[in-house]
């Protein structure tokens, strides 16, 4: 699934934190690129879990994608 997500990245201590505010999913990495990759994996896992639970349409609508 290809969603146009806003990504916010900030440094917290020694790591970079990446967050997708629309989905309220976050992750981190030692570099900005690592944080982005990690966030992508977290978003993919979140989407898959929502799909398996049958809540994906509701989650996407609540996030403003429907």
């Amino acid at each position: 699934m290809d969603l146009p997500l806003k990504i916010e990245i900030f440094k917290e201590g020694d790591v970079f934190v990446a967050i997708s505010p629309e989905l309220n999913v976050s992750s981190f990495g030692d570099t900005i690129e690592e944080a982005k990759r990690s966030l992508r994996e977290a978003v993919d896992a979140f989407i898959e879990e929502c799909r398996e639970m049958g809540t994906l349409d509701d989650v996407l609508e609540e996030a403003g994608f429907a």
Side-chain angles (χ1 to χ4, degrees), residues 6-40:
K6 178 180 178 183
I7 297 174
E8 297 175 3
I9 299 175
F10 58 93
K11 191 163 187 177
E12 187 170 292
D14 292 338
V15 298
F16 290 92
V17 177
I19 185 168
S20 169
E22 295 98 340
L23 299 178
N24 197 27
V25 175
S26 64
S27 196
F28 65 94
D30 291 330
T31 65
I32 291 174
E33 287 307 314
E34 193 176 303
K36 286 180 184 179
R37 273 193 307 274
S38 184
L39 178 62
R40 176 63 187 196

Side-chain angles (χ1 to χ4, degrees), residues 46-62:
F46 176 75
I47 296 292
E48 184 58 32
E49 184 67 24
C50 289
R51 185 177 283 132
E52 289 175 8
M53 293 174 48
T55 60
L56 182 58
D57 289 340
D58 293 337
V59 168
L60 293 177
E61 183 176 334
E62 187 175 314

